[in-house]
């Protein structure tokens, strides 16, 4: 549907989720950005989630040359959060995923936060930090889109 609406830029779209939904968001972002004709999405977020060590995402991000159109270089700012008391999806798994995304070269505007004492749940402080992150990122995206429209 996105490609059918020329009035909507992918940079106006945020994808994300909690737990398995965060994994699906990462999978979707990797596949979207692997399509070299696709403009980058606006942002990605994953809450209390992780990617397996053999996830297809890693081959899309890590098996590339140094071209400026690589999947990781086009990956948008990403917000990750994980509770330190999560005994369902361990915090180390989420941290490892984030570290590997960073190592692959995702946006330097990305952020990982640990939430002290939080289990496998979403809490208001996490939502507030996510919303603040998205507001900042999307304002930058809006400004860049406006500048592009003015110059064309």
């Amino acid at each position: 549907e996105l490609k059918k609406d020329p009035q909507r830029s992918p940079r106006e779209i945020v994808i994300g989720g909690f737990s398995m939904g965060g994994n699906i968001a990462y999978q979707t972002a990797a596949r979207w950005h692997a399509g070299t004709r696709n403009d980058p999405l606006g942002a990605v977020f994953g809450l209390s989630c992780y990617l397996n060590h053999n996830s297809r995402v890693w081959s899309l991000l890590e098996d590339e040359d140094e071209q400026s159109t690589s999947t990781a270089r086009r990956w948008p700012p990403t917000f990750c959060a994980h509770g330190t008391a999560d005994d369902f999806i361990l915090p180390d798994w989420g941290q490892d995923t984030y570290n590997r995304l960073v190592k692959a070269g995702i946006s330097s505007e990305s952020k990982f936060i640990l939430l002290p004492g939080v289990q496998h749940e979403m809490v208001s402080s996490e939502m507030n930090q996510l919303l603040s992150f998205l507001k900042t990122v999307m304002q930058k995206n809006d400004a860049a889109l406006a500048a592009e429209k003015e110059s064309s």
Side-chain angles (χ1 to χ4, degrees), residues 79-148:
F79 179 90
C80 307
H82 215 110
T84 61
D86 190 338
D87 61 357
F88 185 68
I89 296 178
L90 300 180
D92 287 348
W93 299 352
Q95 181 75 64
D96 289 348
T97 295
Y98 177 76
N99 292 344
R100 197 165 170 189
L101 288 169
V102 169
K103 185 177 178 188
I106 68 166
S107 171
S108 62
E109 295 178 69
S110 298
K111 182 177 186 177
F112 181 89
I113 60 167
L114 283 172
L115 303 159
V118 174
Q119 297 179 357
H120 193 68
E121 59 188 324
M122 294 186 294
V123 295
S124 61
S125 63
E126 177 183 29
M127 293 296 99
N128 291 336
Q129 291 179 71
L130 171 60
L131 292 174
S132 176
F133 175 84
L134 292 176
K135 181 178 179 181
T136 299
V137 169
M138 298 310 284
Q139 284 175 339
K140 287 181 184 179
N141 290 350
D142 289 346
L145 287 168
E148 286 175 15

Side-chain angles (χ1 to χ4, degrees), residues 1-141:
E1 294 300 313
L2 175 62
K3 292 183 179 183
K4 294 179 183 176
D5 184 359
Q7 302 301 316
R8 170 99 27 218
S9 168
R11 285 186 278 175
E12 297 175 273
I13 297 172
V14 174
I15 59 171
F18 171 79
S19 194
M20 185 55 79
N23 179 295
I24 297 300
Y26 293 156
Q27 298 282 345
T28 302
R31 285 162 175 77
W32 176 262
H33 292 98
T36 57
R37 292 178 295 165
N38 294 333
D39 288 334
L41 295 170
V44 176
F45 69 89
L47 310 176
S48 299
C49 65
Y50 76 106
L51 291 168
N52 291 326
H53 290 294
N54 63 350
S55 170
R56 173 80 172 118
V57 169
W58 304 124
S59 62
L60 292 170
L61 290 175
E62 297 171 340
D63 293 343
E64 298 180 332
D65 56 29
E66 293 298 316
Q67 294 178 8
S68 63
T69 59
S70 74
T71 303
R73 292 179 195 274
R74 296 173 64 246
W75 189 287
T78 301
F79 179 90
C80 307
H82 215 110
T84 61
D86 190 338
D87 61 357
F88 185 68
I89 296 178
L90 300 180
D92 287 348
W93 299 352
Q95 181 75 64
D96 289 348
T97 295
Y98 177 76
N99 292 344
R100 197 165 170 189
L101 288 169
V102 169
K103 185 177 178 188
I106 68 166
S107 171
S108 62
E109 295 178 69
S110 298
K111 182 177 186 177
F112 181 89
I113 60 167
L114 283 172
L115 303 159
V118 174
Q119 297 179 357
H120 193 68
E121 59 188 324
M122 294 186 294
V123 295
S124 61
S125 63
E126 177 183 29
M127 293 296 99
N128 291 336
Q129 291 179 71
L130 171 60
L131 292 174
S132 176
F133 175 84
L134 292 176
K135 181 178 179 181
T136 299
V137 169
M138 298 310 284
Q139 284 175 339
K140 287 181 184 179
N141 290 350

